[in-house]
Amino acid sequence: MHIKEKLNMDKEALLKNGAITIVAFGDSVTHGALNDTIDYENAYWNVLKRKLNAIRDYVPVNVINSGIGGDRAGLAVNRIERDVTSHHPDLIIVCFGLNDINVELEDYIEPLKKIFTECKKSGADVIFMTPNMLNTYVADDAPKQHLDYAAITASYQNEGKMDKYMSAATDAAKEMDVTVCDCYGEWKKLYNNGVDTTKLLANRINHPTSKMHELFADMLFDIVMGKNFEKKDSATTMYEDKQ
């Protein structure tokens, strides 16, 4: 049963099928990192949860944050069972790529495919969410201790390495029939329209601002519920026992 259908469960169906469970599996962006702080409240998965709760509050929506800062696909593949599939999720959101840019392409794509395979075996719906762009220049307000790395990530972005990795990752997802939420593509559109996307990064390197987490959540919501979804207002969404 997909999330869209589970949101309409009555009491009997809820007792039979249980609450909605989503696992967000990724790196520091999923973890909730901004600049030098962690913001779980405004992380994309929590914004998505609130958007789903707003449709019908009777059905609980539980989100498990399985993001770990600094992680990459080649390392995360070893924790899938513990951190993802053991929770029997209805939906798994996979988001890796920002740290994987520092390894060879095959060391990103091959473990990513293994992650997709194991997630699909669980029976859950699987979405590969491409991450944000990297910085395109070294900003004056970038963390002083990370200026050298900011120069490296800017070169990765400007010289097309990040584009190459994201293209290969989305191709792998499509080949494996995994739904793609192309947030990277949306960032590229903003950049090509003249937006300073580096300023949309809280740490001016690779962590999106809270506002851009909303973009991720909006795009995920459109995939889960459909772009043409319209909430029908009602006095209450609570299930009422018939006497």
Side-chain angles (χ1 to χ4, degrees):
M1 187 183 297
H2 301 293
I3 288 177
K4 188 173 183 179
E5 287 73 40
K6 289 194 79 170
L7 282 170
N8 291 318
M9 291 189 297
D10 58 14
K11 182 177 181 180
E12 183 178 353
L14 183 58
L15 287 168
K16 177 181 178 181
N17 298 297
I20 292 170
T21 300
I22 299 171
V23 174
F25 189 40
D27 51 35
S28 55
V29 173
T30 299
H31 194 155
L34 292 179
N35 191 349
D36 57 353
T37 61
I38 296 290
D39 183 2
Y40 296 131
E41 182 66 21
N42 295 302
Y44 69 84
W45 45 263
N46 207 20
V47 179
L48 176 63
K49 174 183 176 179
R50 290 197 294 269
K51 289 172 70 69
L52 293 172
N53 282 147
I55 295 172
R56 186 163 184 268
D57 57 13
Y58 176 66
V59 178
V61 178
N62 301 307
V63 181
I64 297 168
N65 178 8
S66 289
I68 297 179
D71 205 6
R72 56 184 174 84
L75 300 174
V77 71
N78 297 312
R79 60 186 183 90
I80 296 174
E81 195 281 329
R82 183 194 70 192
D83 292 350
V84 182
T85 58
S86 64
H87 300 293
H88 306 291
D90 298 286
L91 170 66
I92 302 169
I93 302 165
V94 178
C95 184
F96 290 100
L98 295 176
N99 299 313
D100 304 84
I101 196 71
N102 296 302
V103 300
E104 295 298 323
L105 182 60
E106 60 268 26
D107 293 328
Y108 170 42
I109 299 302
E110 291 310 309
L112 190 63
K113 287 181 177 179
K114 291 179 181 178
I115 290 172
F116 292 154
T117 297
E118 292 305 310
C119 289
K120 284 173 65 69
K121 281 182 183 178
S122 73
D125 289 334
V126 183
I127 296 175
F128 172 55
M129 188 179 82
T130 56
N132 46 272
M133 286 175 58
L134 299 168
N135 57 306
T136 57
Y137 60 89
V138 179
D140 292 338
D141 56 347
K144 300 303 181 185
Q145 68 272 29
H146 297 311
L147 292 180
D148 289 344
Y149 187 58
I152 293 171
T153 51
S155 69
Y156 287 162
Q157 188 65 65
N158 295 329
E159 294 170 11
K161 186 176 183 181
M162 190 65 176
D163 290 350
K164 178 181 178 181
Y165 276 48
M166 291 302 101
S167 178
T170 54
D171 284 347
K174 291 174 182 177
E175 288 170 8
M176 300 185 68
D177 198 28
V178 170
T179 300
V180 175
C181 181
D182 192 13
C183 295
Y184 184 78
E186 288 301 307
W187 277 70
K188 291 288 291 187
K189 288 178 185 177
L190 292 171
Y191 177 75
N192 292 332
N193 286 329
V195 175
D196 185 347
T197 50
T198 297
K199 290 186 178 179
L200 301 179
L201 300 167
N203 65 349
R204 303 296 189 256
I205 299 174
N206 55 10
H207 294 161
T209 62
S210 297
K211 184 66 176 177
M212 296 311 290
H213 274 268
E214 291 183 25
L215 170 68
F216 292 170
D218 288 342
M219 292 182 67
L220 288 167
F221 182 87
D222 285 346
I223 289 176
V224 172
M225 300 302 297
K227 287 187 177 182
N228 297 321
F229 174 81
E230 292 184 8
K231 179 185 176 184
K232 295 181 180 179
D233 293 329
S234 60
T236 179
T237 61
M238 286 294 293
Y239 176 83
E240 296 180 0
D241 286 315
K242 301 299 183 181
Q243 300 297 323

